[in-house]
């Protein structure tokens, strides 16, 4: 299998994840990529809107991983890494990873990842990995504070085709390494804007303040609350995270 063995390009989609899911249900093999120039109903986690005007990159990848469901949550957590690396390779910009699913540049959100899947009796039928990146669109036009685009950060137009090729190439090598049990923990930790920081986590109706300690093997974020409680935040839950300090030299404890 190779991610990108078949690439379908659309002018418009409601959501590229919907198109990929339809193909998944009708038995399409893994590796299919759906790309749309814009989306009319782009979505993020928890049904939030992903604003998707022309100039951005919107793609979904169909995967059929033969993995233990336990490994799957880690896989999805670590999938932001190939996106971040591809952005760095093409633009020369430095990226940060905000657990669970954001890629940022100097604290502003430039890309997000949405993983959706279906399965039965604990077995994964397929996964759809949706990636949205603000590339040559204006972040100001999105009307969101805290968002940016690659062209605005780099001060030049970015070649979308080149970026797409680099993303597919990074995804391929990341996926192959992951299937061999290679977790790119160091590469992740180096870019994390969360680990070692003071954070505020809103989980459903509860708010916890504390410190982000480390990533658990399953991709959950382990935090220690100011009251001394150690909590595991899972990306599948309704969790929102805010970093509340901006210390440059932070201490990232190890698991051991
Ligand atoms: P968290 O940090 O907890 O993940 P989040 O605000 O990043 O919170 P997500 O569900 O990951 O939430 O992402 C969806 C949010 O992203 C939307 O609610 C909106 O605020 C923001 N958003 C929507 N479209 C874009 C875009 N094109 N670029 C940047 N941010 C966007
Ligand atoms: C998030 O930050 O919550 C995730 C945003 C994911 C957006 C991408 S764009 C391609 C794919 N199609 C969608 O509707 N969402 C994902």
């Amino acid at each position: 299998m190779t991610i990108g063995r078949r690439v379908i390009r659309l002018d418009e989609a409601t959501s590229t994840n919907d198109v990929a899911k339809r193909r998944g249900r009708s038995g399409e093999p893994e590796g299919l990529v759906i790309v749309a120039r814009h989306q009319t109903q782009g979505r993020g986690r928890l049904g939030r809107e992903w604003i998707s005007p022309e100039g951005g990159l919107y793609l979904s990848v169909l995967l059929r991983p033969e993995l233990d469901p336990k490994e799957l949550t880690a896989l999805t957590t670590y999938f932001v890494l190939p996106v971040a690396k591809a952005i760095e390779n093409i633009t020369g910009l430095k990226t940060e990873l905000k657990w669970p699913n954001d890629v940022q540049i100097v604290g502003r959100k430039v890309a997000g990842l949405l993983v959706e899947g279906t399965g039965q009796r604990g077995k994964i039928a397929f996964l759809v990995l949706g990636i949205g990146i603000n590339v040559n669109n204006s972040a100001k036009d999105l009307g969101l504070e805290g968002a940016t685009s690659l062209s605005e950060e780099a001060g030049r137009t970015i070649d979308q085709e080149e970026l797409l090729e680099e993303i597919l190439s990074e995804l391929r090598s990341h996926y192959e390494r992951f299937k061999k049990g290679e977790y790119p923990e160091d590469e992740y930790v180096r870019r994390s804007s969360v680990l070692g920081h003071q954070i505020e986590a809103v989980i459903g109706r509860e708010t916890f303040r504390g410190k982000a300690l480390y990533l658990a093997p399953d991709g959950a974020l382990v935090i220690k609350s100011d009251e001394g409680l150690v909590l595991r935040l899972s990306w599948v839950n309704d969790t929102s995270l805010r970093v509340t300090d901006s210390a440059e030299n932070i201490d990232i404890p190890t698991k051991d």
Side-chain angles (χ1 to χ4, degrees):
M1 180 296 308
T2 175
I3 292 176
R5 56 165 193 86
R6 182 172 182 208
V7 179
I8 298 179
R9 292 164 194 275
L10 306 169
D11 273 340
E12 179 182 290
T14 49
S15 155
T16 52
N17 269 28
D18 289 340
V19 182
K21 277 158 95 175
R22 270 200 300 276
R23 297 273 176 163
R25 279 192 290 269
S26 52
E28 175 96 26
E30 77 169 348
L32 170 75
V33 175
I34 307 289
V35 190
R37 284 162 62 90
H38 77 112
Q39 302 183 115
T40 55
Q41 288 171 47
R43 60 177 178 270
R45 274 187 330 135
L46 313 165
R48 292 174 187 150
E49 181 189 14
W50 182 260
I51 307 171
S52 313
E54 284 205 14
L57 182 58
Y58 314 104
L59 69 134
S60 297
V61 183
L62 179 70
L63 297 175
R64 297 187 185 276
E66 286 183 16
L67 291 173
D68 190 300
K70 272 191 277 170
E71 291 173 299
L72 224 129
T73 54
L75 180 76
T76 54
T77 298
Y78 281 112
F79 259 132
V80 286
L81 189 59
V83 177
K85 284 171 73 175
I87 289 174
E88 290 174 7
N89 295 346
I90 295 298
T91 64
L93 294 164
K94 191 168 170 283
T95 64
E96 298 136 26
L97 305 178
K98 178 166 175 261
W99 186 94
N101 65 329
D102 295 352
V103 180
Q104 301 177 321
I105 295 177
V106 212
R108 290 173 187 274
K109 182 162 172 173
V110 75
L113 195 86
L114 175 69
V115 185
E116 296 178 316
T118 65
Q120 267 187 336
R121 285 174 237 113
K123 197 174 172 338
I124 304 301
F126 63 81
L127 275 190
V128 169
L129 182 69
I131 299 166
I133 309 179
N134 298 323
V135 186
N136 295 318
N137 53 310
S138 149
K140 240 186 264 132
D141 291 351
L142 298 173
L144 296 169
E145 257 188 54
T148 191
S149 74
L150 297 182
S151 61
E152 281 166 344
E153 295 297 328
R156 65 181 168 90
T157 302
I158 305 301
D159 186 327
Q160 297 237 28
E161 275 309 304
E162 220 188 337
L163 179 62
L164 174 64
E165 278 313 313
E166 190 66 14
I167 289 173
L168 298 183
S169 153
E170 286 290 342
L171 285 174
R172 261 175 230 130
S173 68
H174 178 85
Y175 190 47
E176 291 312 314
R177 279 169 64 192
F178 196 93
K179 286 195 286 190
K180 286 188 226 146
E182 293 173 28
Y183 288 53
E185 201 176 340
D186 290 354
E187 291 181 89
Y188 185 100
V189 170
R190 211 182 317 131
R191 291 176 177 83
S192 172
S193 62
V194 169
L195 293 172
H197 282 277
Q198 286 300 122
I199 51 115
E200 190 175 271
V202 181
I203 308 167
R205 289 186 189 164
E206 288 205 79
T207 300
F208 296 90
R209 290 181 188 83
K211 186 171 181 174
L213 298 180
Y214 57 85
L215 273 193
D218 66 353
L221 180 69
V222 180
I223 67 164
K224 187 168 186 181
S225 78
D226 293 342
E227 292 76 35
L229 277 176
V230 175
L231 299 167
R232 284 166 41 89
L233 309 186
S234 166
W235 61 268
V236 286
N237 294 336
D238 179 357
T239 305
S240 275
L241 207 70
R242 203 162 65 82
V243 175
T244 53
D245 64 18
S246 57
E248 289 284 313
N249 297 313
I250 45 141
D251 161 39
I252 301 175
T254 59
K255 272 174 284 186
D256 320 307

